[in-house]
Amino acid sequence: MNKFLIVLVLSFTGVFQIRAQEPVKKDSTATGKITMRGLFQARYLFSGNKNIDLNGLHHPDGKAVYNDFDIKRARLQFTSKISDRTDVVLLLNLADFKSDPKNKVLENAYITYRLDNFINLKMGQFRPAFGLEDMYPVDVIKSMDYSNQYTAFGNNGWQSFQIGASIYGATHGEIPVKYELSVVNGNNRNQLMDNDNGKHFSTRVELGLQKSLKIKLGLNGGLATVLGSNVYASGVDLSGVVPLGKKWSLEIETEFKQGNNHTYYYGLDSAKRVGGVGNYQMRGMYFLPNLRYAINYHRLSSLEFSCRYENFDNDFKHASNNPRQTWTPMVSAEFLKAYSARIQVGVNIDRYKRNVPGTTQYNNELFIVQVQSRL
């Protein structure tokens, strides 16, 4: 942990040196402005196996709820520019009221302060940058939802909504660099307080390797102390866009992550644990090609065809591991611009090394029709 703190200090020093070499541009943005945006997502789901419910749980008694209409997200975001350097952001998901709203509903709640383009400060509840999927909102992803590894690393405190602080910014040059250094509680959103005295320290550096093809390389790493044990996480991702003609393009994303699954470890009965938390590690990768056709016909802006392949294992060091492979073919129609309205049709195809009756580790196909609109 001490070594990681030294790296953070050196990183801060380097960033301030970069800032000192560049002139500060005056920001003439008007203050006192409040903007409101939103997102609505509704879907119909149908399980290909009537004994498996919509959460993937196998029901040996055959009493699964295998089809449903659902409001996935009903978000409202408020942004207040209280000065030319300071913003306050609130993001609510009102769809969380359909179940127990405890530790839900409030997603983002943070304040940012901009020193210049190279140094920005953030504090509150936000998504720390720890992977490619943290770089954009859910309504513009090229698949039906975030990946399995995003959910798992979020449950372990590295991604999704966390409470803490960060410093972030960007440099410009032959190879543009974006960075973010974060420290968070690591016990997820809307908690009364940290559940131990440990913190999650993480960093992401994104390099713009090639401008015309928009090739970007992301490097992610983090260290933490959880209930007295030292844990880690790391990852690398690569993305780019290949033009195939006047209206056709191929967008490619791929990502690999590995780290301790301390949530799984501490969730086990102590008598069932084999070794320490260091022996419980997860890893995942996905590859996502997305073929886009810019049709621009009346209000129809584009058609997209994608198929994400993912391999995720939540405990790969033990013989009892049961890795999960997921294919998600999808067709999407975009209306207006910037995904202001969108219709998606796809299926999540899950395959496990072995089926475990009465659990979520069971082969299944989940068909999804989703509509979304920005407010």
Side-chain angles (χ1 to χ4, degrees), residues 190-369:
N190 301 330
Q191 301 295 327
L192 181 62
M193 64 179 67
D194 196 359
N195 59 348
D196 61 8
N197 290 314
K199 294 292 181 284
H200 283 53
F201 296 87
S202 65
T203 182
R204 173 178 172 83
V205 177
E206 183 179 281
L207 307 174
L209 300 182
Q210 214 280 342
K211 186 175 181 179
S212 62
L213 298 179
K214 299 181 181 179
I215 299 177
K216 299 177 183 178
L217 173 67
L219 304 174
N220 313 279
L223 295 173
T225 300
V226 178
L227 298 176
S229 299
N230 294 327
V231 298
Y232 85 100
S234 61
V236 60
D237 54 77
L238 186 68
S239 62
V241 180
V242 181
L244 301 177
K246 185 177 180 179
K247 294 187 176 182
W248 291 91
S249 61
L250 179 63
E251 301 168 288
I252 298 175
E253 299 178 359
T254 186
E255 187 167 3
F256 172 84
K257 281 199 183 73
Q258 180 171 311
N260 293 115
N261 194 346
H262 53 267
T263 299
Y264 176 63
Y265 172 79
Y266 286 111
L268 291 173
D269 186 278
S270 58
K272 295 182 179 180
R273 298 172 187 168
V274 180
V277 67
N279 291 328
Y280 287 81
Q281 296 191 30
M282 56 184 174
R283 64 183 174 193
M285 66 79 60
Y286 72 81
F287 176 72
L288 174 56
N290 182 68
L291 184 63
R292 178 182 175 88
Y293 176 57
I295 189 169
N296 293 323
Y297 180 75
H298 295 289
R299 290 182 173 84
L300 179 60
S301 298
S302 70
L303 295 174
E304 297 184 359
F305 310 88
S306 69
C307 184
R308 182 175 66 198
Y309 167 74
E310 183 174 4
N311 190 308
F312 179 74
D313 194 335
N314 73 333
D315 183 23
F316 69 86
K317 284 201 167 187
H318 292 97
S320 60
N321 68 326
N322 194 13
R324 174 185 184 182
Q325 296 186 76
T326 304
W327 289 264
T328 310
M330 185 191 75
V331 178
S332 172
E334 174 194 4
F335 297 89
L336 304 177
K337 295 292 185 181
Y339 296 115
S340 294
R342 194 181 189 190
I343 299 176
Q344 300 160 276
V345 179
V347 54
N348 283 336
I349 305 170
D350 282 330
R351 293 294 181 266
Y352 289 90
K353 183 178 179 180
R354 62 183 180 279
N355 287 326
V356 182
T359 72
T360 57
Q361 300 180 39
Y362 212 94
N363 294 343
N364 187 41
E365 299 82 35
L366 180 64
F367 297 87
I368 305 171
V369 179

Side-chain angles (χ1 to χ4, degrees), residues 126-134 147 149-162 188 255 257:
F126 57 92
R127 292 197 298 161
F130 198 76
L132 189 59
E133 294 175 285
D134 295 309
S147 65
Q149 69 174 23
Y150 177 87
T151 301
F153 279 81
N155 290 338
N156 280 271
W158 301 109
Q159 297 186 272
S160 192
F161 302 102
Q162 308 291 335
N188 298 310
E255 187 167 3
K257 281 199 183 73

Side-chain angles (χ1 to χ4, degrees), residues 30-272:
T31 61
K33 181 180 179 181
I34 298 177
T35 59
M36 183 177 72
R37 294 183 296 175
L39 171 68
F40 174 78
Q41 280 185 341
R43 51 171 55 179
Y44 174 73
L45 306 96
F46 182 87
S47 175
N49 186 331
K50 294 185 179 181
N51 293 325
I52 298 179
D53 67 22
L54 302 177
N55 295 316
L57 178 63
H58 177 252
H59 292 254
D61 57 6
K63 295 182 179 181
V65 175
Y66 58 85
N67 77 95
D68 183 40
F69 286 100
D70 179 47
I71 298 176
K72 180 68 174 178
R73 293 177 178 89
R75 283 178 166 172
L76 289 177
Q77 177 173 304
F78 302 87
T79 303
S80 174
K81 180 170 285 296
I82 60 177
S83 77
D84 61 347
R85 295 179 180 271
T86 308
D87 293 345
V88 176
V89 177
L90 297 177
L91 177 63
L92 309 175
N93 184 13
L94 303 182
D96 283 337
F97 281 114
K98 65 190 176 185
S99 60
D100 184 359
K102 183 180 179 181
N103 301 330
K104 297 180 181 179
V105 183
L106 181 62
E107 295 186 332
N108 279 333
Y110 61 83
I111 186 171
T112 64
Y113 181 78
R114 184 184 66 84
L115 292 175
D116 53 32
N117 292 333
F118 310 107
I119 300 179
N120 301 267
L121 305 176
K122 181 188 300 183
M123 179 172 286
Q125 182 168 285
F126 57 92
R127 292 197 298 161
F130 198 76
L132 189 59
E133 294 175 285
D134 295 309
M135 298 298 102
Y136 40 70
V138 68
D139 51 314
V140 302
I141 63 174
K142 309 304 179 181
S143 194
M144 296 305 301
D145 214 325
Y146 290 121
S147 65
N148 300 324
Q149 69 174 23
Y150 177 87
T151 301
F153 279 81
N155 290 338
N156 280 271
W158 301 109
Q159 297 186 272
S160 192
F161 302 102
Q162 308 291 335
I163 303 175
S166 74
I167 177 172
Y168 63 97
T171 65
H172 305 282
E174 186 174 347
I175 299 181
V177 178
K178 294 181 179 180
Y179 75 93
E180 182 164 342
L181 305 169
S182 304
V183 52
V184 298
N185 288 336
N187 59 328
N188 298 310
R189 59 176 172 166
N190 301 330
Q191 301 295 327
L192 181 62
M193 64 179 67
D194 196 359
N195 59 348
D196 61 8
N197 290 314
K199 294 292 181 284
H200 283 53
F201 296 87
S202 65
T203 182
R204 173 178 172 83
V205 177
E206 183 179 281
L207 307 174
L209 300 182
Q210 214 280 342
K211 186 175 181 179
S212 62
L213 298 179
K214 299 181 181 179
I215 299 177
K216 299 177 183 178
L217 173 67
L219 304 174
N220 313 279
L223 295 173
T225 300
V226 178
L227 298 176
S229 299
N230 294 327
V231 298
Y232 85 100
S234 61
V236 60
D237 54 77
L238 186 68
S239 62
V241 180
V242 181
L244 301 177
K246 185 177 180 179
K247 294 187 176 182
W248 291 91
S249 61
L250 179 63
E251 301 168 288
I252 298 175
E253 299 178 359
T254 186
E255 187 167 3
F256 172 84
K257 281 199 183 73
Q258 180 171 311
N260 293 115
N261 194 346
H262 53 267
T263 299
Y264 176 63
Y265 172 79
Y266 286 111
L268 291 173
D269 186 278
S270 58
K272 295 182 179 180

